Structures are given as structure tokens and as C-alpha cells.
Amino acid sequence: MKTFFVILLLWTLNCGGHPFPLSTTMISAPVESPRIRYDVAALEVKGGQRTLLSETTIEGPAGTDFQITLQSSQFQMSAHFLNDLAASKVLSMRADLKMRRLYGRSERNLPLYEEDGQKENLQVGFDEKVVLLPFGGDERDPNSEQLKIEITPALSDLSARLPSGEARPLEIKILKDSPGNSIRVEAMRSPHRFTVDAVLLEDGNEVARGMAPDALLGQPSEILLQPNKQASDAVASQPLAVSLTVDQYLQRRRSDQAFISFDVYRPADDRGNARETLASQWAGSGPIDSPITYDISNQYLNGSGRKYELKLIVKLAPGETAD
Amino acid sequence: MNCKEFREVLDLYIDKELSPEALIAAQLHSGECMACQAATEKLLSIRQLLKANNAKHQLPDELVEAVHRISRPWWKPVVHDPKASASRTHPLAVWRRQITLSASTFALILLVVIVFGLFAGRLRTTQTPVSQKPSSVVVPVTPEASTADLARFDHGGRPSVYKEPR
């Protein structure tokens, strides 16, 4: 009877959400990625003299992104930085710059704008800083006043978890506001690394499969679909490949959504056949972990009388979290 | 002064508008003549009665509502308020009433007006100075500088990003 009560007590503790004390010792603590701090300072530089206009500090887990937007009366610029810890002491910062400047007015008195977009990949050490010149440099007059935004990364001293055990959220501190709130800094955290499965179906049967184990957000990944034993000779002799980019990841209520774009092509082979693009700039979106299926019968082995489908499944890479 | 002369100046006597000599003569006659004293008291009581009745005169509510219905603006509903009708003994318009302000209230209002004027002037100076004149050719816009605007840094360059040692 006493043994029964002991078993009942232990069972109650386990079901009530309290971790069983003996079992927790068997689980090793997960290795937490370090946190990064970014100091974003906007400076007015004139003749070697530097004046601080605004200053913001971002502190968050590795993979924290941020965006700097600048608004003047006739000029808009946004710089979106996708950041990853590439090595222990190297940050991969992918900058996406977009600019829009009022140029003038048309003969119908409509506003005319000049626009520009550019992307830069930077490998930044913790002994370096990133310099953003929203208005560019003035080559004609190097001594003219210039707006300079310096982004200085550093490893944070803060622990990855709060004393309560919860993951520490990212923090933004505005140390000095910009004049007229014309420079804004926003930070966000979203998954960067994905696993993408690509499956070729012939009349509903899987005949080839490939995978991109670590596809980075916004970066194209090449996936070669390897024919299996069920593949016909035509499929085996003409393997497919996909160049796929996960463009965006959106957190939604029911399930998170992945936005993808891709090209389907036949790679060059040893027989002298050059690479042949079968489908270009296809795109779509779908729930994460769920297949997105495309009918490629008109693009691949057309005339064979068979139905070919390309099934793409986007998942979070191991170790990646959506929060 | 006899009774006939007294009755002729009785109104002036009650109103105290007689000359000093005539007033003395009237007072002497009134002190001797009981009939003229009674006539004086009767006239005074009539006057008091008239005053009291005049004070109680008020416009009927139906008349007030009818006048309001004719003269009110179309967006204001007709509301009959007994309290309001009771307070209509002094129907002086708001803009005709004398408004008194303390010195501190007046100074506060003056300060608010000055600050608002400065703020409005600043808004006007920071608005986009884009030319509104239509023209037959493309009109480039020259950025204008202001203290809060970052346009003073804009020399038409292209944004750039690079890394450098700390």
C-alpha cells in the first residue's frame, strides 16, 4: 500500500507539469549561442570634427537583424542588415540598401524620384566596424559636412537566459534620439537558416530527391535531385536541379509561412550538354513544414505523357528557433 | 399751497423732483391736509403695486420656444429647459457680457498664443519646398537645409556601406 502511494505521488508530480527530478539530470543543457551588441551611432563629420547626432544600442541573440531608416524632406533610405555569426569571431552582415530621392517634377507637375537598390555582403570581425553613408561621400568636396552611421558589433556580456530560465529577449536602447526623429533603428529576430527538401514525382511516385541542409534566408541554394531506383531512364539521364531562395519568413497565427523563389534547370553534364533553364523565377508561399507542389509537366520531359511534379518543403534548420 | 396745487405737483413730490421752495410748501400742506396725505399714500401704494406686478412678468414658455424655433440655427435642436427659462431674467448675449480675467489667466493665454504662433511658423519653414509651378520640362529640386532636416548632407550621392578597422 505504501509503495502504491509513492508511485501515485511520483506520477502526480510528473503529470502536473513538474519535471521529474531524476529525469532532468539525464538531459544536458543546450549550448546557447552568444549574444551580440550593436552600437549604432549617427555622426555629423565635417573637417575631421565629429558630432554625435543619435545613438542606439541593440542587444540580442546571434541572428538579430536590424533596419536603419532615414527620412529627410526629399530623401528616404532604408538599410536592412541580416546578421549571422559565421564563425566564433566573425559576423556575416548582409546589407540591403534602398534609396529614394525626389528629383523634380514632371511637365504634369507629378513628382519624379530616383531610386537605387544595392546589396553588400560583409564579413565583419569584432575589431572592425561597419560604416554606412546614407548620402554617399562627396568626392568634389571632401571637407563638406557628411552624415556617417557607424555600426560597431561586440560580444555581449549578458547571458542568453533570464534568471527565470526564459530566453532573454532582444533589447533596443535609444541613448540619444535623432533630430526630428529622422533616423530610426528597428531590430527584429526571425529564423535565418532553413532546410529545404525538393522531391520530383512522376505520376505521383517519388523518383528523385535532393536537399539543401542549411539554406540561408535571402541566399540562393543549389539542390540537385538525385534519381532513385524507381526513376525511369529518361529521368535518370536528365537529372533536375533547383536554385531556390527563401525570401521571407513570416510568423502567422496558424502556421508560419515561408516565401520562396526558384529556378528549375538541368545541370551541365559530362557529355557536353550545357546547363538548361526549364523554369525561371517561379515563386510561391506556403506553411512551414508543408509541401508546396508545382506541376512541371510542360517544362520537364514534355511529350513523355507522364505527369511530373516538383514538391518543395521548407523547414527550420536544426537549432533554429522561430521566436 | 392749496389742495389743487398740491395735487398738480403730487407726482413730482413723490419723485422728489420739486424745487426746495416748492418741496417745503408741499410738505407744509401735506402736514395740515389729511385728504392730500391720503392721496399721497394711495399713489405710493399704486406705484409699489405696479412695480411688484412688473417684476413678475415673464414671457410664456410657448412664446419663447416659438421664437427659438424661428431664430435657432438648423443644426441645434429645440430643447425646453425649465431651469433655462427661469434664468432668462437677464437675457444678455454672451458677447455683450463683460468678461473679467485675472492677470495670471490673461498672461497664460497670451503665452499659449505666442508659443502656438512660433510653432506654426516653424512648421511652415520645415515643409517640403517643392516647386508647385507646372513647367514644360523636368525641374530638378535643390534640397534646402534646415536645422532638423538631414537634407543638408544630401549632395546627390549614392548610399554606400563598407567596413573599416575600429
Side-chain angles (χ1 to χ4, degrees), chain A residues 101 116 118 123 126 131 153, chain B residues 130 154 158-159 162-163 166:
Chain A
R101 178 187 279 121
D116 183 38
Q118 51 182 312
Q123 302 292 316
F126 288 107
V131 177
Chain B
V130 178
D154 192 1
R158 189 184 188 208
Y162 57 91
K163 66 175 182 178
R166 288 190 196 177

Side-chain angles (χ1 to χ4, degrees), chain B residues 108-124:
Chain B
L108 184 65
I109 292 172
L110 191 64
L111 183 67
V112 168
V113 168
I114 291 170
V115 169
F116 179 78
L118 290 173
F119 182 70
R122 187 178 172 186
L123 275 183
R124 287 182 64 185

Side-chain angles (χ1 to χ4, degrees), chain A residues 252-265:
Chain A
R252 294 280 172 87
R253 179 175 287 273
R254 284 189 177 177
S255 62
D256 295 347
Q257 299 275 318
F259 290 74
I260 56 171
S261 58
F262 60 93
D263 297 339
V264 182
Y265 64 95

Side-chain angles (χ1 to χ4, degrees), chain A residues 196-201 208-212 215 219-226 238-246 260-268 275-283 292 294 296 300 309-314:
Chain A
V196 182
D197 289 323
V199 179
L200 178 64
L201 302 176
R209 174 181 280 269
M211 185 178 74
Q219 294 280 83
S221 298
E222 305 296 323
I223 306 172
L224 180 63
L225 283 77
Q226 297 285 355
Q238 299 185 39
L240 271 186
V242 178
S243 175
L244 183 140
T245 305
V246 181
I260 56 171
S261 58
F262 60 93
D263 297 339
V264 182
Y265 64 95
R266 206 156 39 207
R275 169 178 165 150
E276 182 186 0
T277 300
L278 304 177
S280 178
Q281 295 184 347
W282 284 24
I292 310 170
Y294 296 85
I296 56 169
Y300 180 63
E309 292 173 298
L310 179 63
K311 193 164 71 174
L312 302 168
I313 305 167
V314 182

Side-chain angles (χ1 to χ4, degrees), chain A residues 3-17:
Chain A
T3 311
F4 172 75
F5 275 115
V6 169
I7 291 171
L8 186 64
L9 178 65
L10 292 175
W11 180 81
T12 307
L13 282 174
N14 217 10
C15 290

